[in-house]
Amino acid sequence: MSKNGSVPRLTDNADDKAAKSWIGSSMTLGALVGALISGPMAQFFGRKKALIAYGIPFTIGWLLMAFARSVTIIIIGRIIAGFSAGLLSGTAPTYVVEISIISIRGFLGACFQLCVTIGILMVYVVGAFIDWNYLAGIAAVPTLLMAILMFFMPETPSWLISHNKRSEAEQSLKSLRGAGSDTDQEMSQLQEQTKASEQGQSFSLALYAQKFHLCPMLLGLGLMFFQQFSGINAVMFYATSIFSESGSSLEPKIASIIVGVAQVFATVAGSLLVDRLGRKILLSASGALHVLSTAALGLYYYCIGNDATNSDFGWVPLASLVVFIIGFSIGWGPVPWLMIAEITPDMSRSATSAFATAFNWTCAFFVSKYFEALKDAITKHGTFFLFSACSLLSIVFVVLALPETKGKSSEEIQEHFGGPKNTSGRNDGLLKNGNNPSSAGVEMDKLNA
């Protein structure tokens, strides 16, 4: 603990272990609150203004950590930064889906997770050479850049239309599609769809009495549950300690960097494959890799028992976690965020994204806060066997419950859940194939998808 205003240093005694668990999990508590209000904020202020505003508390949180002289201030800083992360994760995927066209919707949606993995790798690399408080100060820079650069981005046309700002929506669409694009027909269709979606009413929880609003929300909660109970936050938050206590032959910091590099490259691969192979294939493959890697790690801990001095198989933790991260990065990392925005109707998208994101962070809190306690209760190997079992259930969930959204318009996806059928007479064949990108009608459907 800190003395005389110095930077806090934590040891392995019981009090400091408790402090570590709160430091590791406190960010998720703030994210839970942020996620709950992200929907109303993005809907009221607009996606663009909301993303700009999020940079303020984000920067404050990092600076509090950078200048902290007690564990309490560190935790407060992490809660504020987590609050901002919850806001961001509830709004950014929606923004991306609403400005993208169908042919690259999956790729752009997966880029959200790619940016997260790049950030994690940067923390691992820079953190290997400098103290954590300097690292927190550096982390404030990207949050400021986000707020500044969002000033130069357009608001989403669908949000502008839903708030009766037709001229601004047309300008936004032209900036996204090209100044020479003919957007008159597209704007007209966008207005018609928005009017049909709202049916003369504003959003209310009563919408979830309708199947095509309720089913996407339930599936979204399932996606977030299995994402977190794969054990991802336990792996990322405690990667260095896992290597330290497992008897790995590599220096823990170097091993963590290797895991971070594997995560980035695998996320790039997943981003490129998501529009080619489809969402369900990637999620199933991801789950299978999770089952194998966490089971292998559990078996390793079972075989070595409490003897962390046996380095004959010190490569197993690194290999297992690399496989785990590759699996997560191609499927369960990026795809859930993308699919929630894809499968949810316009009218309930902000609220469903907020509920799902809040649930995600709730699960993340329990996994990260009680990971150490779980290891004490059911042993290290039992904990990783539990994660393996959850990943096996995730495959069943994907195969039996999830629809495939690859190449489908929003109307087709809503029809799958019993929503209103497309009666506009548009040629959906062009939509699926991504042909004739200059066509206003086709661009309209791509936008709403």
Side-chain angles (χ1 to χ4, degrees), residues 58-59 62-63 135-148:
F58 233 145
T59 304
W62 285 122
L63 292 179
L135 180 62
I138 293 174
V141 175
T143 64
L144 285 173
L145 286 176
M146 176 194 73
I148 293 171

Side-chain angles (χ1 to χ4, degrees), residues 109-110 113-114 227 267 270-271 328-339:
Q113 183 66 19
L114 175 61
Q227 183 195 71
T267 304
S271 301
F328 184 82
S329 300
I330 65 171
W332 280 103
V335 173
W337 300 105
L338 167 66
M339 287 199 70

